[in-house]
Amino acid sequence: MTNEKQILFSGMQATGSLTLGNYLGALKNWVNLADEYECYYSVVDMHSITIRQDPAVLRKRARALLTLYIAAGIDPEKNCIYYQSHVSGHAELAWILNCFTYMGELSRMTQFKDKSAKHTDNINAGLFTYPVLMAADILLYQANVVPVGIDQMQHLEITRDIAQRFNSIYGDVFTIPEAYIGKVGAKIMSLQDPARKMSKSDENPNASIYLMDDPDSIRRKCKRAVTDSEGVILYRDEQPGVKNLLDIYSACTGKSVDESVKEFDGCGYGQLKEAVGEAVVSVLQPLQTRFKELEKDKAYIDGIIRANAEKAAYTANKTLRKVQKKVGFPERIR
Ligand code: ATP
Ligand code: LTN
């Protein structure tokens, strides 16, 4: 009998300040899954440069994101938290996988369509092959599960397709990964336009709650959240604003949506918004305190960065060597 844990991989980009959507849809699940799996959590800085970045800002944000992973409760001694750019295998495998991915498949990616419409002056090849690098991230570690928000599902599907295609030619090289979508909070919507997802690149600051927002701003943004004129608190598609507030409340309190709906039976929107504000504050305040403490401990964070990059590179290289051999690259002479 083996008690080896299954492998989990996920990553986040250090572009912009993280929102409550990123936390409830991704980071919070990562923390809950950390004990059950052998986990790799990457700060995917190589993906970030598909959009033009200020180097100093990117460096600062990448470090803040890595620190935030720890502040959120992921133990960096038990889980591998590292920068993607510190493990060269990501780029090397991505190149090989590029040769097993079709232009047609990549053209169908909605994220590519959205981002290229938004950055018309810089539709670079990296933006187009972004999903291939993401596939390389996941496949390098032979991940079984990949926790992401619903918006990343299409990228998970293409990862599976690429892995299956490769395996069908060369044998069982890659583990075929499964997406893990959390039950609550999988898609948190904008507070100002509940038809759109809450996004860190939203231009309207009232649309998103940022993880580092102070309590008063959080309460104010919740109070201003767009609802409707129905006047009843029900969880249904016809009331997307109220539905979103119930989702946020449930995800922050750990209650089921049904429980939350019962709790607000007969209440007005004002009461709901106030309760949501308090629930969000009570989740984010301890996170912020821990983040500020960790940020000061430079030597500790540096140690984590060094040790985990080595650990990740070791695992990544094992897969990479196997793949290189399969496709026919000459053996290394030692
Ligand atoms: P951008 O606005 O720059 O595109 P983003 O806010 O969509 O960024 P990503 O870096 O693309 O964030 O996503 C990080 C993780 O957070 C992913 O797993 C993604 O699925 C999840 N996520 C992002 N936005 C939401 C949301 N509104 N609700 C739930 N999960 C989300
Ligand atoms: N594309 C993802 C970030 C990401 C990722 C990954 C997520 C890059 N590589 C591997 C899971 C697994 C995003 O934009 N959220």
Side-chain angles (χ1 to χ4, degrees), residues 38-278:
E38 180 184 333
C39 302
Y40 292 85
Y41 292 123
S42 188
V43 171
V44 292
D45 47 357
M46 290 163 66
H47 278 104
S48 299
I49 63 162
T50 52
I51 309 287
R52 212 54 89 220
Q53 305 289 335
D54 174 326
V57 174
L58 178 59
R59 220 183 321 275
K60 195 161 166 256
R61 282 190 174 149
R63 186 159 176 119
L65 183 55
L66 188 131
T67 308
L68 196 65
Y69 286 0
I70 307 172
I74 300 166
D75 182 347
E77 316 272 347
K78 295 199 192 124
N79 303 280
C80 192
I81 295 183
Y82 73 101
Y83 294 125
Q84 183 188 32
S85 64
H86 283 192
V87 179
S88 60
H90 289 257
E92 293 178 78
L93 182 61
W95 171 254
I96 297 174
L97 298 181
N98 264 324
C99 304
F100 293 84
T101 309
Y102 299 112
M103 303 282 284
E105 288 179 294
L106 292 173
S107 320
R108 285 195 290 274
M109 297 291 119
T110 51
Q111 184 175 297
F112 172 70
K113 289 188 216 164
D114 292 349
K115 300 243 155 149
S116 51
K118 209 164 158 189
H119 304 274
T120 44
D121 55 335
N122 182 22
I123 306 176
N124 62 72
L127 196 62
F128 190 61
T129 60
Y130 177 115
V132 184
L133 180 57
M134 180 158 160
D137 298 342
I138 297 166
L139 301 178
L140 263 185
Y141 299 91
Q142 306 286 359
N144 303 94
V145 282
V146 182
V148 282
I150 286 170
D151 60 304
Q152 292 299 311
M153 230 11 231
Q154 209 184 16
H155 288 162
L156 243 291
E157 289 301 333
I158 196 173
T159 300
R160 289 163 58 88
D161 291 344
I162 296 168
Q164 269 153 354
R165 185 171 305 142
F166 196 94
N167 283 357
S168 72
I169 306 172
Y170 300 106
D172 270 346
V173 178
F174 295 125
T175 301
I176 309 298
E178 302 278 345
Y180 174 97
I181 310 275
K183 286 187 195 68
V184 276
K187 197 166 187 190
I188 301 298
M189 310 311 279
S190 153
L191 295 178
Q192 291 299 311
D193 176 3
R196 290 186 9 213
K197 79 162 188 166
M198 185 181 284
S199 159
K200 49 179 139 74
S201 47
D202 203 308
E203 269 140 38
N204 182 349
N206 290 324
S208 308
I209 294 175
Y210 297 100
L211 298 190
M212 293 299 148
D213 275 351
D214 60 71
D216 284 345
S217 312
I218 296 172
R219 291 188 185 106
R220 185 173 36 80
K221 287 181 186 183
C222 290
K223 226 175 255 167
R224 286 195 190 164
V226 169
T227 45
D228 52 60
S229 52
E230 303 266 330
V232 282
I233 298 174
L234 290 172
Y235 189 80
R236 48 183 194 156
D237 293 340
E238 296 78 15
Q239 292 179 263
V242 170
K243 187 174 178 220
N244 190 37
L245 289 172
L246 285 166
D247 270 329
I248 296 175
Y249 184 77
S250 306
C252 288
T253 56
K255 293 176 185 168
S256 70
V257 167
D258 284 348
E259 278 177 279
S260 304
V261 173
K262 276 200 197 103
E263 192 178 325
F264 292 107
D265 186 28
C267 293
Y269 290 169
Q271 283 159 295
L272 172 66
K273 289 176 180 180
E274 201 169 302
V276 172
E278 291 315 317

